[in-house]
Every structure is written in C-alpha cells, then in structure tokens.
Amino acid sequence: MAMALVDAATVVLGTSTVLAGPHPAAASAAFVTNMLRPKARFATVIGSLGWGGKTVETLKGLLGNLKVEFLDPVEVKGLPTEADLQTIDALAATIEAKHAGL
C-alpha cells in the first residue's frame, strides 16, 4: 500500500459501515495513509451502509494530516442500484478530470 501511495494523486477508500463506522480494515488503511502523508491531491470515500453511521466523517478525521481536496463521497444503502453505479461512474469522471488538470 505504501508503494502505491507514493505516486497516487487520489486516495479512494472503499468500505462498508460496521457498527456506525468504517470497517476496521478501512480505518486501518486510513490511519496508515495519514501517517505516511502521501502527496495525493484528492480523497474520497465509497461505502455502503445499512442503518446509517458516520463512516465518511470518521475516515475524513483519520486522514486529517493530508492536504487534500475531499471529493463528494458515494454512499449506497444495501446493494447498489443502477443509479448508484452511475453515481460511481460520475465520481470516476470527476477524478479523471481532476487528474487531467494537474
């Protein structure tokens, strides 16, 4: 993961919501990313939730040392619908446009 972060322009954390927060593996990845302080310019979260929670806020807090622009997260309740997949495609297009501007 550390080697992938060296040249990463965007950090995208994908996680499900567990007990109103991010899955422990995603929280751990965010913590390590925060400690390594990559030169990424953008960050976002793609996640699923059932009963709600504060996954996005928690992960943003865990990435507090990064000087990044947070892109709008994509949170899906349950299995993704066609509209949810289109939202993810739109996020990918946004990331591509941001990278083109670097």
Side-chain angles (χ1 to χ4, degrees):
M1 183 174 92
M3 289 178 61
L5 287 170
V6 170
D7 294 324
T10 301
V11 174
V12 179
L13 293 169
T15 185
S16 58
T17 298
V18 179
L19 299 174
H23 188 281
S28 177
F31 179 80
V32 170
T33 300
N34 190 58
M35 295 302 290
L36 294 175
R37 296 182 188 189
K39 296 182 185 200
R41 305 283 294 278
F42 311 100
T44 191
V45 176
I46 297 174
S48 65
L49 52 101
W51 295 98
K54 299 193 179 290
T55 296
V56 173
E57 294 84 3
T58 301
L59 291 174
K60 279 184 177 182
L62 288 171
L63 296 174
N65 286 336
L66 302 185
K67 307 282 190 266
V68 294
E69 174 187 341
F70 280 97
L71 305 176
D72 290 336
V74 177
E75 291 187 286
V76 175
K77 186 169 183 173
L79 293 174
T81 64
E82 187 61 35
D84 295 326
L85 296 175
Q86 289 174 0
T87 304
I88 292 172
D89 287 343
L91 174 61
T94 299
I95 292 170
E96 182 181 23
K98 296 279 188 181
H99 287 193
L102 294 178

